[in-house]
């Protein structure tokens, strides 16, 4: 970052009020030259004033050395230069003092007042001296030369340093403003970079959550049905061999479907990693989790029951989903209210996933319980409810205990809320459990 303001104020390397040693040496050299000039000009001043030459020289040395403080007290330098103007000394001090005065951060009215005093003093002294010289016969020009010489001399000694100082001061302030703007832009860029990193981290977390939710919805339902059928197969293997064969076939079909869907999702993730590896070789970049999440979601959307080329599950496949649970031994009652119609793909997929996950939870936690699946098509929304009765004690005792990660209800709520819907779940007064969701469809 550039050094401005307080940073530069604390970066002084020169003595006293100078920012650098080079500035101190430069001002010291100017003061020496000015003192020598004033000392030389003090000799004729002492002769004309009738004072000892040594007094005139000492006076000139003291007056000229005031230039050493031009950066700290420019007003004092200009006032001293104006004061010694009648003695015809301190020309260098007056020029440098006016330049420093105009270049520093002082009110314009102060600069104008002191510049006017210097101009007027130089004009009066020049007018008097030229008139005296013409009276002695040193010049033979006309009377017009006296005011002309006075005006041109005063303007020549006052205007150039004043204008140059104003230009340098304005340029210095402009550069300071540009440095401050550069610092401000740099701080803003750093803040934007931090916010962009935070947004990227948030996006990565969102995609990880989305991928985990898709994999849970796709695999958990299949595996839960496989475990239920395996338990039923174990129970009827000796009593009813034909039913055992049918259950074994169902377990095999569901296992193959689960493996196929899992292979598709892992393939998408691996392809995303391969593409990212190639992209990193071309240019350093972060893992495109958004693209991977979208691809994983697309693979997950082909989950339950052959979609027949349709992208993702839809409400038309709800009967097949209920039939799979019924085949696993669950007593399911499906009721549909309202006129069935097509919705956006994301709405139908979310509604399907809510019913699917609710049925999976019944298999896990209330095996053997009668379940009611209700779907209502309304004017501007679609509502679904899955409610199960308390499981029979005998079924509860003999049911297979399926592991639960506690993410099913959370995933359903995230899906519904993302579409602006309402999700409610909880136990019923009868001892069962109810899952309800309403999704806007307008």
């Amino acid at each position: 970052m550039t050094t401005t303001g307080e940073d530069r104020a604390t970066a002084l390397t020169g003595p006293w009020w100078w920012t650098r040693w080079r500035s101190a040496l430069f001002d010291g050299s100017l003061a020496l030259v000015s003192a020598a000039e004033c000392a030389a000009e003090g000799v004729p001043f002492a002769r004309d004033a009738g004072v000892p030459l040594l007094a005139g020289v000492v006076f000139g040395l003291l007056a000229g050395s005031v230039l050493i403080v031009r950066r700290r007290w420019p007003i004092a330098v200009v006032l001293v230069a104006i004061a010694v103007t009648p003695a015809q000394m301190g020309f260098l001090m007056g020029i440098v003092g006016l330049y420093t005065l105009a270049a520093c951060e002082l009110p314009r009215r102060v600069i104008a007042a002191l510049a006017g005093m210097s101009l007027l003093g130089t004009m009066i002294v020049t007018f008097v001296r030229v008139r005296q010289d013409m009276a002695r016969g040193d010049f033979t020009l006309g009377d017009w030369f006296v005011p002309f010489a006075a005006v041109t001399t005063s303007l020549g000694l006052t205007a150039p340093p004043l204008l140059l100082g104003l230009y340098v001061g304005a340029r210095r302030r402009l550069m300071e403003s540009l440095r401050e703007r550069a610092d401000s832009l740099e701080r803003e860029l750093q803040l934007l970079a931090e916010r962009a990193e935070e947004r990227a981290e948030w996006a990565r977390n969102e995609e990880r959550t989305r991928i985990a939710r898709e994999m849970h919805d796709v695999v958990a339902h299949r595996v839960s049905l496989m475990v239920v059928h395996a338990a039923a197969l174990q129970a009827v293997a000796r009593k009813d061999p034909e039913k055992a064969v049918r259950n074994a076939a169902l377990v095999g079909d569901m296992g193959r479907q689960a493996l196929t869907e899992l292979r598709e999702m892992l393939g998408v993730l691996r392809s995303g990693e391969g593409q990212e590896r190639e992209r990193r070789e071309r240019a350093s970049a972060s893992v495109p989790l958004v693209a991977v999440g979208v691809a994983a979601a697309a693979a997950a959307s082909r989950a339950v029951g052959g979609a027949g080329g349709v992208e993702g599950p839809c409400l038309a496949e709800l009967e097949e989903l209920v039939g799979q649970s019924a085949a696993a031994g669950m007593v399911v009652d499906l009721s549909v209210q309202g006129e069935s119609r097509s919705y956006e793909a994301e709405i139908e997929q979310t509604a399907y996933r809510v019913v699917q996950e609710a049925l999976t939870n019944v298999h896990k936690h209330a095996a053997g319980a009668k379940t009611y699946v209700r779907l209502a098509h309304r004017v501007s929304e679609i509502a679904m409810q899955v409610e199960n009765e308390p499981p029979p004690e005998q079924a509860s005792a003999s049911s297979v205990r399926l592991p639960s990660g506690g993410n099913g209800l959370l995933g359903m709520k995230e899906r519904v809320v993302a579409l602006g819907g309402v999700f409610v779940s909880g136990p019923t007064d009868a001892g069962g459990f109810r899952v309800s969701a309403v999704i806007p469809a307008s």
Side-chain angles (χ1 to χ4, degrees):
M1 295 193 48
T2 57
T3 306
T4 58
E6 297 180 358
D7 295 335
R8 189 164 61 251
T10 59
L12 301 179
T13 58
W16 296 336
W17 57 82
W18 287 284
T19 57
R20 295 184 297 270
W21 276 98
R22 184 177 62 182
S23 301
L25 292 177
F26 181 73
D27 288 352
S29 302
L30 285 178
L32 288 177
V33 174
S34 177
E37 177 204 353
C38 291
E41 294 167 346
V43 174
F45 168 72
R47 188 181 300 115
D48 295 341
V51 298
L53 295 179
L54 181 61
V57 172
V58 172
F59 175 73
L61 288 174
L62 293 176
S65 62
V66 175
L67 198 60
I68 194 72
V69 296
R70 71 181 186 95
R71 296 179 190 266
R72 187 66 179 270
W73 297 294
I75 295 178
V77 175
V78 175
L79 290 176
V80 172
I82 295 173
V84 300
T85 299
Q88 286 190 321
M89 64 173 60
F91 294 102
L92 177 63
M93 180 171 56
I95 293 173
V96 176
L98 284 176
Y99 164 79
T100 307
L101 179 71
C104 66
E105 300 290 338
L106 284 175
R108 292 297 178 88
R109 61 179 182 274
V110 176
I111 298 175
L114 292 175
M117 292 171 58
S118 177
L119 176 68
L120 184 61
T122 305
M123 184 182 299
I124 293 174
V125 171
T126 305
F127 184 88
V128 172
R129 290 293 181 180
V130 172
R131 191 176 184 84
Q132 290 176 353
D133 292 339
M134 291 187 67
R136 286 196 303 265
D138 296 341
F139 297 102
T140 57
L141 299 174
D143 293 339
W144 62 269
F145 182 73
V146 176
F148 175 77
V151 172
T152 54
T153 302
S154 59
L155 288 177
L157 294 177
T158 305
L162 184 66
L163 295 177
L164 181 61
L166 291 174
Y167 167 75
V168 172
R171 184 175 180 274
R172 185 182 301 159
R173 287 188 291 271
L174 176 61
M175 296 301 295
E176 181 73 16
S177 175
L178 292 177
R179 278 193 292 266
E180 290 178 356
R181 290 182 61 185
D183 290 343
S184 177
L185 288 176
E186 185 175 352
R187 288 190 293 268
E188 290 179 2
L189 288 176
Q190 290 179 350
L191 182 60
L192 289 175
E194 293 175 357
R195 291 181 178 176
E197 185 176 355
E198 292 176 358
R199 287 195 296 268
E201 182 64 24
W202 176 82
R204 284 193 291 267
N205 293 334
E206 286 293 316
E207 288 306 315
R208 290 191 186 99
T209 304
R210 180 181 178 183
I211 293 171
R213 185 170 58 241
E214 293 291 344
M215 294 187 69
H216 176 273
D217 290 345
V218 169
V219 178
H221 183 71
R222 298 284 188 192
V223 174
S224 298
L225 291 179
M226 288 173 58
V227 174
V228 173
H229 280 291
L233 176 62
Q234 184 181 5
V236 301
R238 296 182 179 180
K239 299 178 180 179
D240 192 348
E242 294 182 0
K243 187 175 181 180
V245 171
R246 290 195 300 271
N247 287 342
L250 287 174
V251 171
D253 291 339
M254 292 181 181
R256 282 188 292 270
Q257 291 176 3
L259 287 175
T260 300
E261 293 160 1
L262 184 60
R263 190 180 297 113
E264 288 180 2
M265 298 188 70
L266 294 178
V268 169
L269 294 176
R270 287 185 178 276
S271 64
E273 292 176 357
Q275 293 174 1
E276 174 56 20
R277 191 179 300 110
E278 296 177 0
R279 193 175 292 109
R280 279 201 303 266
E281 293 176 356
R282 293 192 300 266
S284 298
S286 60
V287 178
L289 282 176
V290 174
V292 176
V294 172
S301 66
R302 297 188 293 272
V304 176
V310 180
E311 203 174 293
C314 57
L315 292 176
E317 303 170 14
L318 200 59
E319 292 185 4
E320 182 179 354
L321 176 67
V322 173
Q324 292 177 355
S325 295
M330 179 187 295
V331 179
V332 189
D333 180 24
L334 173 63
S335 63
V336 180
Q337 300 176 0
E339 183 178 355
S340 178
R341 63 182 187 273
S342 60
Y343 302 93
E344 294 182 5
E346 191 174 7
I347 295 177
E348 294 209 10
Q349 292 175 18
T350 301
Y352 183 94
R353 295 296 189 199
V354 169
V355 176
Q356 181 190 51
E357 181 61 27
L359 292 176
T360 302
N361 287 341
V362 175
H363 284 294
K364 289 181 179 180
H365 308 291
K370 185 175 182 180
T371 306
Y372 301 92
V373 179
R374 300 181 181 91
L375 183 67
H377 299 277
R378 299 171 183 171
V379 177
S380 59
E381 62 187 15
I382 179 173
M384 64 228 65
Q385 183 182 90
V386 179
E387 180 181 350
N388 63 274
E389 298 177 352
E393 296 182 1
Q394 182 178 1
S396 300
S398 61
S399 62
V400 178
R401 296 187 177 274
L402 297 174
S404 176
N407 297 317
L409 294 175
L410 179 61
M412 286 188 282
K413 183 176 182 179
E414 289 176 350
R415 287 179 179 274
V416 173
V417 172
L419 296 179
V422 178
F423 178 85
V424 178
S425 63
T428 62
D429 296 336
F433 199 85
R434 180 189 298 119
V435 173
S436 302
V438 178
I439 304 175
S442 57

